[in-house]
Each structure stands twice: as C-alpha cells, then as structure tokens.
Amino acid sequence: WVLPPLLVVSLLLVPGLEWRAEAVEKGPWYLVGLQEMLHWRPEPQVVIWLGLAAIALLIFLPKFPMPSRTWVKWTLGITACFYAALTLVALGIRGDDWRLMSPLKALASDADFLSWRAYVPPDAKLLQVKIPFVGGQREGCLACHQTMTGFVPAHDPGTVGCAACHLGNPWTLDKALAHSGMTLTPGNLSVVSQTCGASNCHGDQMERVRGSLMNTMSGVIAVDKFVFRQSGDLDAHFDVAALKHSPADMHLRTLCASCHLGQEKLHPGPMNEEDRGGGCSACHLRYDKTSESELHRPVGASAPLHHPDISVQVPGEACFGCHSRSGRISTSYEGCQETLLDETAARVKPGWPSRFRVLSDGRVFEKHPADVHADKGMTCVDCHLASEVMGDRATHDHENNSIKIACADCHAAGKTVVRDYAQLDVETQEIVAMRKLNEPGRKFAVANTVSVAYPNVFLDADGLPVLSLIESGKTLKPKPMAKVCAGSIHSRLECSACHTAWAPQCISCHTTLDRGSQSWDYLAGKYIKGSWQEQAAGYLADAPALGVERVATPNGKEADRIVTFIPGMILNLQLPNGNAAGRNQFRRLFAPASAHTTVA
C-alpha cells in the first residue's frame, strides 16, 4: 500500500542532486523538528540529552509500575505531538534566514515537482545533444546557452551553470519544462535566497542587504511617522515591508516606497535615471551595447548570445535613480539643483542648454558647481564601502549612523592608518583581488572610525595615500589636510561644515490628501483611492545651515559635532482625519545632511 504512492511521488519530485544549496537548508522531514529545536536552543548537547531521555523512557517503559507507566505514556505522547507540531512549523512556515512566512511561500522553495511531460519521449534531435556537466552534474540549460559570453570567471556558466541564478529545471532538454519556474530577474530579494544568496554563494551579503537601510528605509519611515505624529521616537526602527494603511504609511507607500531595494524589478534591463529596486541587480548588473541589444531580440529567435556583466564595479548610475530624489545627493554631486520649471519653460531661458539639464522623468535641473570629487572622475563606490552600502548586520536607525568613512581617512593630517592585505577582512580581500590591486607588500588605508579598510586606497612608494578609481583605473593623490583643519579649534567641525559649496533646499512644502484621485501603491503594486499631493514653493541652491548633532564615537561614547543641515520637513500638512483645527498642522524639521558639493 505504501509502495505505489511512493513511486508516483519519487517520479514527480525533482531529486535534490543540484550542487547549489539554498539559503535555508532543511534536513529530512523527520529531522526538521530537531532543526527547529536547535534554532531556539542553540546548545546541541541539551537537545541531544532530551532525545536520549525520550528513547530511554521508551526502552524502560515496560519496567515502570502502574500508574507511573501511564504517566510516562502520556509524557511521551505529548512530547510526540509537540515534536510533530515543530516539524509542521519547520516544514510549512519557515523560510530563508529563519523567517516566518506563509506555507505556500515556504514550500515553494522546497517542493519542486516535475511535470509528467518530462517522461514523454523527447524529439529525436534532443537525444543526439551532448549535455554539458557543471559541478559533476548534467545541466540541460547549457545545451542551448553554452556559447553565451559576457561573464567574469566566477559567474561563467561553465562554473555555476544557468539554473544556479535563473532557476528553472536543468534536468530536461524540453524548452518549456526547462523554463518552468525560471526567473529573468534573479537579483530580486523575493527570490535571492534561491539565487545569489544560496549558502555557497553570497548568503552573508543577502542577510546583510535585507537588514540594510537601503532595504528597510527605517530612517525615512521614522521621520515621516514623527512628522505625522504617529510616533514620538525619531530613532525607532521600522521596515518598509511592514507598512500598513495609516495616513503616514499611505504617504510613504504612494510617494516614497519605490526607492527601497526590495522593490521588484519586473523586467531585465540596464540601469537608468528612473531605475528602482531590483535587489542585487540594482547595483551589480552592468549592460554594454551588445547585451542591451539582446533585450530587443524578436520572440522566437535563437537563445541570447551575450549576458550583461555581473561585477563589483558599481557605476554611479546605479545610485542615481533613488538618490536623485529627497536629499538629491546624486544630482548635487554632479552639480545640478532641481527647479520648478518644465522643459518648455527651461528652453526659453537664457543659456539653454548649457545652463539646464532635463532628466528622463521630465524634471528640470539647473547647473551649479559640481563636487570636486566628481570633477576628478570619482563615483560613489570610490569612497563608500561595501559594509556601508550593503549593511553590516548591525541595526542602524538612520543613514548617518551607518557611515563608516571620513574625509580624514584619505586627507590625513599625519600618518595614514594602514593594514596589510593579509589583515583585511575576507570581503575586502576579494574586492581587492577582483580589481587586481593586491600587489605584494601593499598597505591599505583604514577608515579610522571603525577600522574597516578601503579596497582602493593604499600607500605609494613614498608612504602617501593613493586612490584607484573604479571606473577608469586612474590613480589620484589626495591632498593632506590643511594645518588649520587639524588644529584643536576645528576639532568639533565636520569637514562639510566649511567645504560644502551649496546644498539643495526646499523651503516650504504643502502636502494634501486628495480623496477623489488615485495613486499608485508601490507595495501593493496597484492603484488605490486617494492621492497625496505635494506642492513646493520653490527650490534653492544655497549655503546650508550649521547645527549640532550628537553622534556616537568609536569608543562607545557620544560627542557633539557641528554639521550641515538642510530643511527636511518644513510643511503645512493637511491630515485626513480630525476636526478642522486638528487637520491643518504646521511642521518644521531640519535634517543633518551631507550635500556632496565639496569644494577645496
């Protein structure tokens, strides 16, 4: 009675023979309850002794006198039921990173059933195809895609195959079956535990990114809820995925939530000025002209021949889509300040087009002095470290809390703090090696705030810091800090307090809920009733205000620093509930911000 259904299941269940391991590793069904116990009670010896105790009770059960035997039976029965419940929990609602999720999602990554069509005799031509091997296993994907180019060695299909990233079914040569369950956007955080975040690939980075501010938007949410009087704590921690439908939440869902890293990228394509989300692909997928032309291949044509590069060389365009809004760091860095003009009005202004820049979304920017680092050809990742951008497993409430770098790391007044290659953390070593900067004896500069090294800043033969640019490969020699900057009189000043040329400022903003119109809910992926309308009174490119910010120091204490501030939330807010007196409220907040418009 057991054998027939077991045979059917074994024929329809894909064997777990892939070399690739997902981010969540579950044992046989009869051991996942034990796995669940070990998660909550990490001391394995305790769990082992409990299991041995249960076995011992079973062995010696006949020796127990009545009524003790009855109590032992009840104890064992209740324990068995408890273990069965743990098994169901572990199988049915545990996902990657030990998160709770719906049974459908949890089982989707574990139960991979094969269509009965896999057993239909294939086309005679397919029987003549020689199937390539990857990691000791046959991978049918490469029967069609083995000639694809564009990969670095670590992601070459001959090394990792195709299914390791794009999923699908590598056990068949049937096109429809092979593409079943496939994803064209493997970087999305919704599938990354099965792709980039597989346990023998980038599992650590996956967990860090999920907890990073680029994904949670915690600081943005905390400030918004504070302004809406839904929270009294500016440092409370939030996650954009957990937003509900309060006035502040809907304000965020319809105006802000498109920029978090977990936003799904629905179709493959190059990064541009309007790009949002996409998880790992948002930064690490680079299209050249050849790979971009593949996107326009006619339906039914032969398999694509050139894949976009998967690289640690993250271009500035990867940051622009999100960071050209709100604080507008990307646009300010390039020397542009937003205006209220449309393109038609800008075209009749004196100095067009040298004076203005029109983004692909239609916004018109006026040109101002760019950051001195931008003029030198530096992009965002020439300064910012991987542990800042992708997170470091720590919980940071605001963006400024996650920053590890400082101007003095490169522009040191005295001796630069350095480390040998062998002293670098593993991730930095890998980045250094991939960029071919690991020359014998080279010393790498350290971020003094947290003792994390830069992969691209090192000492030259004279013992002075040199910066290697990620895009061009050129080297720059940072100027040492001026004596006046290093003096005690400036000890409380952040460099930006004196060296910021200008900062983007919106001096007034009117935010009103229009109940009669519709808006796009970025989390739900659909139009909803009601739309928050924002009207700015004007934009300025002016000197920032100075203020005092209390920051944590490397020794665990707090210190006051003088930093640049810009208007963060100065607005008339019309709330959707309350009486007439409570509906229209005025808010005034200034935000510490680095404008990225540095001048020497």
Side-chain angles (χ1 to χ4, degrees), residues 144-168:
C144 294
H145 298 283
Q146 62 181 330
T147 58
M148 182 172 273
T149 60
F151 299 94
V152 295
H155 291 103
D156 190 276
T159 304
V160 299
C162 301
C165 294
H166 289 282
L167 306 180

Side-chain angles (χ1 to χ4, degrees), residues 297-313:
R297 181 181 290 271
V299 176
S302 60
L305 301 175
H306 193 78
H307 195 280
D309 181 23
I310 305 167
S311 173
V312 294
Q313 292 187 241

Side-chain angles (χ1 to χ4, degrees), residues 183-200:
T183 176
L184 294 177
T185 52
N188 281 336
L189 298 190
S190 60
V191 297
V192 75
S193 63
Q194 302 171 62
T195 56
C196 313
S199 60
N200 54 346

